[in-house]
Amino acid sequence: MTRDRIAWEGGSVSAAWHGEGGDTLLALTHGAGGTYETPSLVAYAEAMAARGMRVVRFNLPYVEAGKKTPGPQARDEACWRGVATTLSSETSRLLLGGRSYGGRMATHVVADGVACAGLVLLAYPLHPPGKPERLRSAHLERIMAPMLFLQGTRDPFADPTLLARTLAQLPQASRHRLEGGDHGHKVAGRTPADVAAELADATVQWLDAHVGR
C-alpha cells in the first residue's frame, strides 16, 4: 500500500493505493460517517488488490477539513469529478464507487456525465432508515455504465424487496446479496476478511461478465 494525495479543483485529498499494474483502476471513497481508513473499505480494497485489481481509496473534502459529517453535496460531487479526471490519465479503464454516501456521490457525477467503465457500490443508501418513500434512485436511470450493488440483506438503508424492484428497472444494474449483512457489511459469525473476500469474488465475476479486465 502507498500513501498519496489526489488533486481536485478545491485542493487535494488523502489517498492510499493498493495493487500494481493492470488495465483497470477502481476508485473508492467512504460513507458519511467514515474515512478512507474505514476498516471494511480497507479490507475490500485489499481483497480486490489480491485478485489483481489496482485500487485507490480517498477521503472526501469534509473529512480532510476535520468534520465528521458531509458538507454541501455539490462540493463532494466536485471532488469526485476532479478525482475522476485526475485518475483517468492513470488507466485505460476506470471504475468508480465506494461505501454508502461516497458511492452515491459517484453515481450522481456519472449520471451528470462523468465517464467511467462501471460503478461498484458498497451498501448503497437507497433510502433513509425507516423512510422507504424517500428513494434516492431517480438519477440512476441516467447512468449507462454497468453498476454493481453489493448489498447486505439486513441493511436498513435498502429494503431488499424495494431494492430488487428498483434495480429491475435499471438494465445496467447487477446485485450481489450479502446474506445477513447490515449497512456496514457486518455478518454475525463471519470475519471482516471473510466478508471482504466474498464481495471481492462477486466483483470479479461481475467485471468478467459486464466490464472486462
Side-chain angles (χ1 to χ4, degrees):
M1 183 181 68
T2 305
R3 302 285 179 180
D4 192 11
R5 296 193 69 81
I6 300 177
W8 67 290
E9 63 184 28
S12 65
V13 289
S14 301
W17 294 81
H18 302 258
E20 298 179 1
D23 296 328
T24 306
L25 172 60
L26 172 59
L28 301 168
T29 192
H30 51 82
T35 74
Y36 80 138
E37 298 284 27
T38 296
S40 62
L41 190 66
V42 175
Y44 175 73
E46 290 177 342
M48 289 303 297
R51 287 156 178 78
M53 178 71 67
R54 194 176 181 210
V55 183
V56 61
R57 48 189 171 83
F58 65 94
N59 274 340
L60 290 170
Y62 69 91
V63 173
E64 292 292 294
K67 299 179 180 179
K68 294 184 178 180
T69 56
Q73 180 172 325
R75 183 176 61 193
D76 293 332
E77 290 182 14
C79 177
W80 248 124
R81 283 192 293 272
V83 167
T85 297
T86 297
L87 296 179
S88 63
S89 63
E90 298 274 345
T91 182
S92 59
R93 188 180 291 113
L94 178 62
L95 304 171
L96 308 182
R99 277 200 45 76
S100 193
Y101 174 82
R104 183 164 71 92
M105 292 302 98
T107 65
H108 277 285
V109 299
V110 173
D112 288 340
V114 169
C116 73
L119 284 154
V120 179
L121 307 168
L122 297 103
Y124 185 82
L126 182 64
H127 55 77
K131 298 179 179 180
E133 71 281 1
R134 292 176 54 186
L135 288 179
R136 298 159 172 162
S137 58
H139 67 290
L140 299 177
E141 298 175 3
R142 305 200 307 272
I143 296 176
M144 295 296 103
M147 294 177 279
L148 174 62
F149 291 75
L150 298 168
Q151 212 79 31
T153 59
R154 294 178 56 253
D155 187 344
F157 286 80
D159 174 80
T161 301
L162 187 53
L163 179 65
R165 188 183 309 147
T166 300
L167 299 190
Q169 301 174 39
L170 302 172
Q172 301 286 22
S174 303
R175 175 175 62 154
H176 175 76
R177 291 168 54 93
L178 177 63
E179 294 297 333
D182 64 9
H183 191 59
H185 283 165
K186 295 179 181 177
V187 180
R190 296 182 63 182
T191 66
D194 182 43
V195 170
E198 176 183 333
L199 298 178
D201 286 340
T203 305
V204 169
Q205 293 172 9
W206 169 78
L207 285 169
D208 290 342
H210 299 282
V211 180
R213 287 187 291 159

